[in-house]
Amino acid sequence: MLKGRSLIDPRDFSVEELEEVFELAEKIIKSPEDFSKMCSGKILATLFYEPSTRTRLSFESAMLRLGGNVIGFSEASSSSVSKGETIADTVRTVSCYADVIAMRHPLEGSAKIASLYSHIPVINAGDGGHQHPTQTLTDLLTIRTLKKGLSNHVIGLCGDLKYGRTVHSLIKAMSRYNNNKFILISPEELSIPKYIKREVLEKNNIPYEEVRTLEEAMDKVDIIYMTRIQRERFDNKEEYERLKNSYILDNKKMSIAKEDAIVMHPLPRVNEIAYEVDDDNRACYFKQAKFGMYVRMALIAKVLGVI
Ligand code: NCD
């Protein structure tokens, strides 16, 4: 039963509960008009303390396409946070006005705190460099649809694996399905946090290898998941400048990839995928963005208990 539940970490929902969300998303994709009044009278509050394009707009369009309404803010400076209000007080107040909250905040753990004080479900739309579970729902629905299921894949994760919250959440989620293997491609300075290696990969006996170049992975992967170097999370700007061009996926590198591999990216892209790759039919990142809206429609409907 997902009614009333918050989603803070990708493992908050069981594999079966995730399946419920994906099956509903598939029904919505087939006939969206059947769902266009499902949330009428309901309100989604989007509390975004950090910049966003896709996540906020896809949440908002998801709610509008379900016939619901949206309130919220897209920068902390336009809310009472700028007057010193705490997250706890903000969500207790917003709980009086809305039926579900989607929140993005630069501090790790902020969404968890919000869920402890909220009387309505809180959906984590990104907490600092920690987790981003709805991007993971997006990624899973994309993989499930385009690669026929969530098991038996070699997944290459490339770029900023240290600060990239989408990568942390995706590893957590994909580790629950059978026979997946990860190739982690990053500069040493941006390698995956130790807690993910120990608590997720090693604890669950998930095979993985760490490499420093894309070339070492390209012919092996079924999915190549590119990420941007997360400039805003660096304390040292010189280090960012030194690492920002670490990886660029181009047609030359694509020429050694499997025929049926797919290229994913949570977006925004900076320069880690050359524009020429967009014309390759294995490039799936804009399809992925569309899956994101449908899966958020399904998630909202489920946590509100309207279906
Ligand atoms: C990601 C994020 O915010 O973590 N963007 C998104 O939600 N699609 C990835 C990123 O910002 O690099």
Side-chain angles (χ1 to χ4, degrees):
M1 185 69 170
L2 291 172
K3 183 176 178 186
R5 297 263 294 277
S6 288
L7 176 64
I8 308 302
D9 181 285
R11 292 190 180 216
D12 286 346
F13 291 1
S14 68
V15 168
E16 293 72 31
E17 287 167 340
L18 289 179
E19 207 47 39
E20 259 184 61
V21 175
F22 299 141
E23 280 166 19
L24 177 57
E26 280 175 344
K27 285 189 193 146
I28 298 173
I29 291 171
K30 278 206 191 94
S31 61
E33 58 288 350
D34 294 348
F35 299 86
S36 64
K37 298 208 165 54
M38 183 140 277
C39 286
S40 86
K42 301 282 186 197
I43 297 177
L44 163 74
T46 52
L47 313 185
F48 276 63
Y49 298 82
E50 246 195 0
S52 168
T53 306
R54 266 148 299 272
T55 305
R56 186 170 60 82
L57 295 184
S58 69
F59 263 113
E60 295 188 359
S61 74
M63 191 51 161
L64 296 174
R65 284 177 192 272
L66 291 167
N69 290 299
V70 181
I71 57 172
F73 52 83
S74 56
E75 45 190 305
S77 60
S78 63
S79 76
S80 280
V81 183
S82 62
K83 301 180 191 163
E85 189 173 50
T86 60
I87 293 176
D89 282 1
T90 303
V91 297
R92 274 188 288 207
T93 308
V94 173
S95 297
C96 307
Y97 308 148
D99 302 289
V100 55
I101 291 173
M103 181 176 126
R104 169 171 290 190
H105 195 284
L107 275 183
E108 285 82 12
S110 49
K112 179 75 196 169
I113 292 181
S115 71
L116 298 176
Y117 289 93
S118 175
H119 307 299
I120 59 177
V122 174
I123 301 173
N124 181 7
D127 60 327
H130 189 219
Q131 300 291 333
H132 193 347
T134 65
Q135 180 62 46
T136 298
L137 295 184
T138 303
D139 299 341
L140 296 192
L141 182 62
T142 307
I143 296 170
R144 189 180 183 276
T145 311
L146 303 181
K147 294 295 291 175
K148 309 210 170 3
L150 292 166
S151 299
N152 307 314
H153 301 307
V154 177
I155 306 148
L157 299 166
C158 176
D160 189 344
L161 309 188
K162 178 178 180 189
Y163 297 116
R165 55 193 173 196
T166 66
V167 165
H168 304 163
S169 291
L170 186 58
I171 293 179
K172 272 195 162 182
M174 287 301 279
S175 298
R176 300 206 287 188
Y177 299 90
N178 291 330
N179 198 28
N180 288 320
K181 183 187 161 180
F182 295 95
I183 306 184
L184 306 172
I185 310 148
S186 76
E188 190 172 358
E189 297 88 330
L190 299 179
S191 44
I192 201 84
K194 285 205 178 69
Y195 81 92
I196 300 215
K197 267 197 229 173
R198 294 208 189 108
E199 302 294 314
V200 185
L201 294 167
E202 286 158 20
K203 200 167 164 185
N204 295 296
N205 293 319
I206 311 293
Y208 72 93
E209 58 182 298
E210 292 185 278
V211 299
R212 301 279 170 245
T213 66
L214 262 171
E215 284 82 353
E216 287 166 87
M218 281 315 285
D219 58 336
K220 301 192 188 87
V221 295
D222 302 306
I223 297 154
I224 180 79
Y225 191 98
M226 298 297 296
T227 63
R228 121 190 119 84
I229 309 295
Q230 307 275 299
R231 184 181 56 192
E232 67 277 30
R233 314 242 181 261
F234 279 73
D235 294 328
N236 179 341
K237 292 299 163 205
E238 278 153 29
E239 186 171 49
Y240 170 74
E241 288 301 321
R242 187 166 54 77
L243 296 172
K244 69 178 185 189
N245 294 324
S246 297
Y247 302 102
I248 299 177
L249 181 62
D250 55 13
N251 280 347
K252 184 156 177 261
K253 296 189 185 86
M254 285 303 292
S255 71
I256 54 171
K258 292 183 186 174
E259 285 282 294
D260 63 347
I262 60 169
V263 183
M264 296 175 67
H265 192 309
L267 302 176
R269 138 172 73 181
V270 182
N271 62 350
E272 54 285 340
I273 303 181
Y275 284 96
E276 62 186 21
V277 177
D278 297 0
D279 297 327
D280 190 308
N281 57 20
R282 294 169 290 182
C284 295
Y285 22 94
F286 292 110
K287 278 189 203 156
Q288 188 184 346
K290 193 155 187 185
F291 281 121
M293 181 188 70
Y294 290 119
V295 89
R296 289 182 174 98
M297 288 173 79
L299 175 66
I300 292 169
K302 284 285 177 189
V303 300
L304 286 178
V306 293
I307 189 159

